[in-house]
Structure formats: C-alpha cells, structure tokens
Amino acid sequence: MRRRISMLAGAAVLSLTLAACGGSGSSPSADEANPAEATGEVGVFTWWADGSEKAGLDALVKIFNDQYPDLKFDNLAVAGGAGSQAKSVLAAQLQAGNPPDSFQAHAGAELQDYIVADQLEDLSSFYESEDLTSVFPKDLLDRLTVDGKIYSVPSNIHRANVVWANVEVLEKAGLDPEKPPADLDEWFAAMDKIKATGVTPLAVAGTWTQVQLFENIMLATLGAEGYNGLWDGSTDWSSAEVTKGIENYKKALSYTNSDRNTLSDWGPATQLVEDGSAAYNVMGDWAEAKFQQDGMVAGEDYVYFPTPGTEGVFDFLADSFTLPAGAPNPAGAKAWLKTISSVEGQEAFNAAKGSIPARTDVPTDNFSEYQKSAIEDFSSDTIVSSLAHGAAVPISWLNELSTAVSKFEGTGDVDALQKSAASIAEKFSQ
Ligand code: BGC
C-alpha cells in the first residue's frame, strides 16, 4: 500500500495541474490554532450544492451549529457532481493564494496532489489531540497519509460499483428484480430484453458518469487485481484483456440514453430510473440518498446490486476535509474538522448522504437497509480504488483519461481509446 501511494505521489509531482505555490508548509499558526477559541466565519468548499448532497451537507452543518453556536458556516459549494467543476475552481483559488478554510478532497491519489503541491497543513497533531488514529480504518488512513504525516479528516466512505434498477421496468421485461445478472454477458442479455420493451436499458449522463461506467466495466472485465494493475503499472493497457474491457464498455454505452451528454449531472440520470424511463443506472451510492429523499421504497420501487461481474469487490472512495496552508481562519477550520470527525457529525451526515461512516464506532440503527449492507460489504469485500472519484490516480491523469473516454463516446473507436489510455498511463507512471 505504502509503495503504491509513493508511486502515485511521484506521478503527481510530474503532473500537477495544481501549481506548487500558495503552500507555506506547516505554519506555527495553523498548528497552534485552537478550535475552542475560534470566532467568525468558516468558509467550506465542497461540490455538495443541491439535492440530496446539499441535504447531507445541511445535516453536517446543523451539528456544526449545535457544537459551535458562535461560529458562522460559510457555504462555498460549487455545483457539479464528482467535483467536475469544483476541482478546477479550487485549483485556481489555491494557485492565487486564496484558499478556503477547509475543502473537500477525495482520499487517495487526489489528496496526494494537494499534499505534494504543499497546499495542505499536516494534521498529525490534530489527530493526536483528538485521539483519531484508532477510529478510522487503517486502509483509509493510509490514503490520507504521506511520509508519516496525515493531511485530512474523512467524513464518509462511498461505493462506486452499484447498479440501481427500476422494479416495474424489470418485471415488464420478464426479469426477476431479486436475481441480479451474474456477469456482464447476462447483464447485456437482460438489457436486450428491456430494449425490446421500448425502455432505455441503461441511464448515464455526461463525461464523469461515463468515466464511472467505464471504470465499472473495466473492473467487471479485469477483476480486482487486473483493475488495480491499470493504475500501478502491473496490467498492460495494450493487452487483449483491456481491449475486451473497452469492447464491453462500448456495448454498455450502446444501451444508454442517446441524450446522455445533455443531462446536466448524475441526478437526472438516476431520475430516469426513478421515473421508469430507464431500467438501470450505475451510480455511486449517493444515489441511495436520492431514492430515499424522493420517497422510493427499496425492494418495491427499486433494487440495487453490485455491478455484474464485480460481486465481492467494493469500489471505494472517501470524501475528506483539509486545512489548507494559508487558510484565513485555521481555528474555525479545526472546529469544522472536529465536527466532521465526531460521532454525531458522522452519524447525521452519513444517514443523509447514502454513504457509510468513516469512523467505525458510529451508531447506524437509523441507516437504510442499503447502507447497512454496504457496511457489511466494506468489512468483507476486496477494496479497490475508484478512478472517477480521485482514489486511484492523480487529478491530471483522470482529466486526460476523461477526455479520451469522452471522445470515445462520439467515435466508438476502441483502438484509439486503448492507445490513448496506454500512453496516458505511461506518461503518468514514469
Ligand atoms: C463524491 C460524493 C458525491 C459524488 C457526486 C463524489 O466524487 O465523493 O460525495 O456525492 O461525487 O457528486
């Protein structure tokens, strides 16, 4: 694990889209900032700007307001799922030396980008004073750590390899909603049946959701080890297995709604399943929060299962919060981080967000059945890192691969995508 992280950190050095300026390293003021003495506004940057994501943020802010009645939460959210708009806005702000008090970042390679660019304060002493090292899973802490220093506080764990399906649409096509397809071939056969009923088999939206679908299909085709190898260099991007994966992705894409690029984000794609205008949507489990918020009943209106061919694998990502170098209100930022890391904060936030708590000691009685099953799976499945959500590769690698996947949406040229992906991997692995 440590070896993988340093490889990715090395890749990040070569490839920073986030210029290495603005970071002042660990300033005594940040280390000494005392949350108990915090005053004023705390500006927090996320991409949880609307719908169920905003509801999750609101639940967290409510706890923050209860715990720190004298502080004012300043919501700096920039809309766009998966941070598709927010990350470049944030990069510009960091580059200009204008950081927020805290910002959302994915655990793993994405966080390494900011660390390597010297844009984050080391939170090791915060972890010590709050006694946090024992309350998060070690795998997760490893993804927040570089050279023994830990740089962010995780709020949650999401899963990116889940299919959400409309029960009525499946039944009309003669499919049993309780029996998910065992592999990609069975799933494609089911989608042929759905197509014959005149309903779109698979809902997807614009580029980042296509990248997430691509990641799922590669995982299903290559298995956990082969998929991991795409990011650590042990799987050859030019191999026949990868060709097969891209061909499978092409087939999956052929079942999707033709207006995919005009759907503004993941919400409208998931909505197609809620409305019965599409059968399936491959989406991270923030979709569970939307189904719940919209009053849909699991087992009756919708069902969920791991993307066929990925059973037993948990495609992991986690949101975490940072203390940027040069944050205007470091004491306020630490108060925010205390709320995030608290049992109450993790319980309220995750119950509303569809994710599972990063802490392992949070009461989950009022969590949905889906969330309870995700907690179970996270403890027993093989964990792999999500591509589309910052866990597997640095931001610059993801951006270039996303451009190639987006081009493929128009051309369907398997060979061209494979060659581009191979040369991108080579560039960033050096
Ligand atoms: C974030 C989730 C968010 C999802 C869709 C992911 O990258 O980790 O918290 O719900 O994007 O915006």
Side-chain angles (χ1 to χ4, degrees), residues 106 156-160 286 314-319 384 386 389 391:
H106 288 122
N156 59 320
I157 291 168
H158 271 303
R159 182 177 193 172
W286 40 91
F314 193 107
D315 187 11
F316 153 97
L317 64 128
D319 295 300
V384 301
S386 167
H389 304 285

Side-chain angles (χ1 to χ4, degrees), residues 47-48 53 81-82 104 106 158 208 266 286 317 319 353 389:
W47 54 87
W48 298 328
E53 298 183 336
Q104 175 185 1
H106 288 122
H158 271 303
W208 78 261
W266 70 270
W286 40 91
L317 64 128
D319 295 300
K353 185 67 169 58
H389 304 285

Side-chain angles (χ1 to χ4, degrees), residues 21-140:
C21 66
S24 60
S26 194
S27 72
S29 63
D31 237 12
E32 284 158 14
N34 181 355
E37 290 167 5
T39 55
E41 291 200 351
V42 184
V44 177
F45 186 99
T46 70
W47 54 87
W48 298 328
D50 34 51
S52 52
E53 298 183 336
K54 168 90 167 43
L57 180 61
D58 288 347
L60 194 50
V61 172
K62 186 175 177 305
I63 304 290
F64 179 66
N65 290 337
D66 290 348
Q67 292 177 344
Y68 297 97
D70 297 334
L71 288 175
K72 189 174 174 309
F73 179 83
D74 187 13
N75 188 347
L76 305 177
V78 170
S84 46
Q85 309 301 322
K87 285 194 258 178
S88 51
V89 173
L90 175 67
Q93 290 178 358
L94 295 177
Q95 228 166 326
N98 185 23
D101 292 312
S102 185
F103 64 82
Q104 175 185 1
H106 288 122
E110 178 182 309
L111 189 70
Q112 317 289 323
D113 277 352
Y114 300 112
I115 298 171
V116 169
D118 206 15
Q119 290 168 325
L120 299 183
E121 294 291 350
D122 170 16
L123 292 171
S124 306
S125 63
F126 178 82
Y127 268 73
E128 257 165 55
S129 62
E130 300 305 314
D131 206 10
L132 290 179
T133 22
S134 59
V135 300
F136 298 118
K138 182 169 178 315
D139 260 8
L140 178 52

Side-chain angles (χ1 to χ4, degrees), residues 15-334:
S15 63
L16 290 175
T17 50
L18 306 156
C21 66
S24 60
S26 194
S27 72
S29 63
D31 237 12
E32 284 158 14
N34 181 355
E37 290 167 5
T39 55
E41 291 200 351
V42 184
V44 177
F45 186 99
T46 70
W47 54 87
W48 298 328
D50 34 51
S52 52
E53 298 183 336
K54 168 90 167 43
L57 180 61
D58 288 347
L60 194 50
V61 172
K62 186 175 177 305
I63 304 290
F64 179 66
N65 290 337
D66 290 348
Q67 292 177 344
Y68 297 97
D70 297 334
L71 288 175
K72 189 174 174 309
F73 179 83
D74 187 13
N75 188 347
L76 305 177
V78 170
S84 46
Q85 309 301 322
K87 285 194 258 178
S88 51
V89 173
L90 175 67
Q93 290 178 358
L94 295 177
Q95 228 166 326
N98 185 23
D101 292 312
S102 185
F103 64 82
Q104 175 185 1
H106 288 122
E110 178 182 309
L111 189 70
Q112 317 289 323
D113 277 352
Y114 300 112
I115 298 171
V116 169
D118 206 15
Q119 290 168 325
L120 299 183
E121 294 291 350
D122 170 16
L123 292 171
S124 306
S125 63
F126 178 82
Y127 268 73
E128 257 165 55
S129 62
E130 300 305 314
D131 206 10
L132 290 179
T133 22
S134 59
V135 300
F136 298 118
K138 182 169 178 315
D139 260 8
L140 178 52
L141 287 178
D142 281 347
R143 288 169 159 95
L144 310 173
T145 304
V146 164
D147 291 338
K149 295 178 181 164
I150 183 153
Y151 289 88
S152 73
V153 174
S155 50
N156 59 320
I157 291 168
H158 271 303
R159 182 177 193 172
N161 61 322
V162 188
V163 177
W164 309 88
N166 181 298
V167 167
E168 204 180 316
V169 170
L170 296 190
E171 282 171 347
K172 275 200 184 137
L175 298 162
D176 181 351
E178 295 305 316
K179 279 206 192 119
D183 54 27
L184 285 180
D185 286 341
E186 272 191 27
W187 196 27
F188 293 150
M191 292 212 254
D192 284 329
K193 288 191 180 157
I194 292 156
K195 205 170 173 181
T197 68
V199 175
T200 300
L202 182 59
V204 77
T207 300
W208 78 261
T209 67
Q210 293 167 26
V211 173
Q212 186 182 247
L213 180 61
F214 173 75
E215 138 183 8
N216 271 263
I217 300 292
M218 295 310 277
L219 180 58
T221 309
L222 299 172
E225 212 184 312
Y227 169 85
N228 285 338
L230 294 172
W231 322 123
D232 71 11
S234 59
T235 296
D236 181 1
W237 271 98
S238 305
S239 64
E241 293 75 30
V242 171
T243 311
K244 179 72 189 154
I246 299 176
E247 279 165 356
N248 281 337
Y249 173 59
K250 182 172 179 171
K251 183 143 177 114
L253 210 53
S254 76
Y255 291 109
T256 64
N257 42 309
S258 54
D259 65 352
R260 52 199 171 239
N261 281 342
T262 66
L263 295 194
S264 59
D265 216 319
W266 70 270
T270 305
Q271 188 68 43
L272 291 177
V273 172
E274 286 192 12
D275 294 346
S277 306
Y280 303 112
N281 178 219
V282 173
M283 189 49 62
D285 51 13
W286 40 91
E288 168 68 358
K290 175 170 164 55
F291 282 111
Q292 293 290 315
Q293 192 180 51
D294 295 344
M296 306 286 284
V297 180
E300 284 177 30
D301 301 321
Y302 71 103
V303 287
Y304 46 78
F305 47 86
T307 302
T310 73
E311 172 95 48
V313 181
F314 193 107
D315 187 11
F316 153 97
L317 64 128
D319 295 300
S320 72
F321 282 84
T322 60
L323 173 52
N329 186 355
K334 281 189 180 171

Side-chain angles (χ1 to χ4, degrees), residues 355-372:
S355 41
I356 64 178
R359 283 185 77 117
T360 50
D361 57 352
V362 174
T364 51
D365 317 342
N366 62 343
F367 280 39
S368 72
E369 284 309 312
Y370 166 77
Q371 288 170 298
K372 287 180 183 156

